[in-house]
Amino acid sequence: MQDEIYQMNKNILILGAAGQIGSELTQLLRGTYPDRTVVASDLHNSDVLGTPFELLDATDEKAIRQIIEKYQIGEVYLMAAMLSATAEKYPEKAWQLNMQSLLIVLNLAKEKRINKIFWPSSIAVFGSTTPKQNTPQVTITEPNTVYGISKLAGERWCAYYREKYGVDVRSIRYPGLISWKTPPGGGTTDYAIDIFHQALKNGKYECFLTENTKLPMMYMDDAIRATLQLMAADLSGVKICSSYNLAGVSFSPKELANAIQKYISDFCIIYRPDSRQAIADTWPQSIDDVCARQDWNWKAKFDLEHTVLEMIKGIKSLQ
Ligand code: SER
């Protein structure tokens, strides 16, 4: 009987809702599912999140259990994580946050307290031994970063809980995500956001990656749409139990700068690679997402030109 009640719970909890993805995901979920309560939670509140909001640490199991009871949560989006560049500075803290939070929600689903989970993985699961062009879904995964190690381990836990306990957990290997509403925090791909802010403010940008460092990227609207699409898919069609490759657009800092110069003609960029270059050098340049396309009809909408246009319009609207 208790099991059946939990199965009926339709409300949604977002852990890490104040972050770059979480803040936009919260708004879109509330808009898409007006009949479901979407509870935003994080260590700190943010103006854009609205209500209901709960101060919540994604590693505090007891507090998460209380919130799940309080709001009759059926679905959890676990967006709290320490990203690649920051995780290199705090390896153990990163491992603890990234792993502990995942195991807490996986166990809640195993106990049938919740019935569905979204957990983001990353292109960081790949490493220097992975084929760099059109990186396949199944390939060598020997990550060279703490963040990548935690995401790869997380993927294996997701597959294990699905296969062994029937847990409905769904995941995407996000590329670098580009957005203007909420700043990113501590990633290697963050340059592709900073560059727009600096271009519009000062007309110049000092890039921490070299000019030809090509990486897989995606505009946030595509990433959120993919997330909602995967979560709405029939479980029988979600054949990848670890995490789906997802492709948007691939470009280098130089190609991005050229695209920005079409709007800001005197924009100039200089290159001063720092420690993040070593991380970027181990990641793929482009991704093969055939499984996502076949299994749940994924198709990216935003190319480089469209992304640049939206970013410039969006940041201008904030000024
Ligand atoms: N954008 C992330 C990072 O740079 C990759 O998942 O860490």
Side-chain angles (χ1 to χ4, degrees), residues 175-178 188-192 215-219 247-251:
L177 297 182
I178 304 178
T188 302
T189 54
D190 294 3
Y191 93 84
L215 288 169
M217 301 278 188
M218 179 173 279
Y219 189 57
V249 54
S250 282
F251 55 78

Side-chain angles (χ1 to χ4, degrees), residues 15 17 62 76 96 141 152 171 174 190 214-215 221 295 307:
L15 295 162
K62 200 167 153 219
V76 173
Q96 198 207 348
T141 42
L152 181 60
S171 178
Y174 288 133
D190 294 3
K214 195 167 185 150
L215 288 169
D221 290 25
D295 291 358
T307 301

Side-chain angles (χ1 to χ4, degrees), residues 165-210:
Y165 308 121
V167 163
D168 182 353
V169 53
R170 306 172 185 210
S171 178
I172 286 172
R173 290 172 178 156
Y174 288 133
L177 297 182
I178 304 178
S179 66
W180 53 270
K181 288 185 188 155
T182 310
T188 302
T189 54
D190 294 3
Y191 93 84
I193 297 169
D194 291 347
I195 192 172
F196 288 99
H197 289 277
Q198 295 306 320
L200 285 163
K201 211 166 128 198
N202 307 317
K204 55 181 190 229
Y205 181 61
E206 185 177 303
C207 185
F208 58 76
L209 298 181
T210 58

